[in-house]
Amino acid sequence: MNRTLPLALVAALAGTGAALADDDCRRPMSDWQPREAAAAHVAGLGIIAYRLGIDDGCYEVRGRDGDGNRVELTLDPATLALLELEVKFAATADPARYLPRALRQQPAAGN
């Protein structure tokens, strides 16, 4: 009994981990854009990359935007489409640059 409970627990947790790991990029490497193209794409977004790596089959980029905020992007390696964006804003940062234009141009309440 003592041995079965830990084994059953490990089996149950392993099954849930597999369900959570579905955010991987599953593109054949022959379809991937080169790292230089990914770096140029990120630079075009106004981000200074200090790390460009591969995680779970996706390009993962860490860097800073023009305002000095820390950013982490996950890109599809074949299309360079943005899959995930995480921004850690500085205390004085304006997060408006990450909002769609329609939201940025709304007049203030009461005008």
Side-chain angles (χ1 to χ4, degrees):
M1 175 79 177
N2 288 342
R3 213 176 263 184
T4 340
L5 181 61
L7 187 57
L9 182 62
V10 168
L13 291 176
T16 58
L20 294 175
D22 201 25
D23 60 347
D24 300 349
C25 294
R26 300 172 195 257
R27 301 287 191 136
M29 288 196 76
S30 60
D31 293 345
W32 283 31
Q33 298 285 331
R35 289 174 60 97
E36 295 79 17
H41 178 68
V42 170
L45 296 173
I47 296 171
I48 300 167
Y50 58 82
R51 181 189 179 279
L52 194 154
I54 299 169
D55 186 30
D56 293 330
C58 303
Y59 278 129
E60 183 178 278
V61 181
R62 292 182 186 161
R64 294 198 181 265
D65 66 11
D67 297 330
N69 301 311
R70 283 195 244 174
V71 294
E72 185 173 318
L73 300 99
T74 302
L75 303 174
D76 181 289
T79 64
L80 301 180
L82 182 64
L83 302 175
E84 187 175 337
L85 172 66
E86 182 179 326
V87 181
K88 293 182 182 173
F89 294 102
T92 58
D94 178 18
R97 74 181 284 176
Y98 291 96
L99 296 173
R101 274 179 215 214
L103 292 175
R104 283 186 282 186
Q105 296 173 353
Q106 287 183 350
N111 287 339

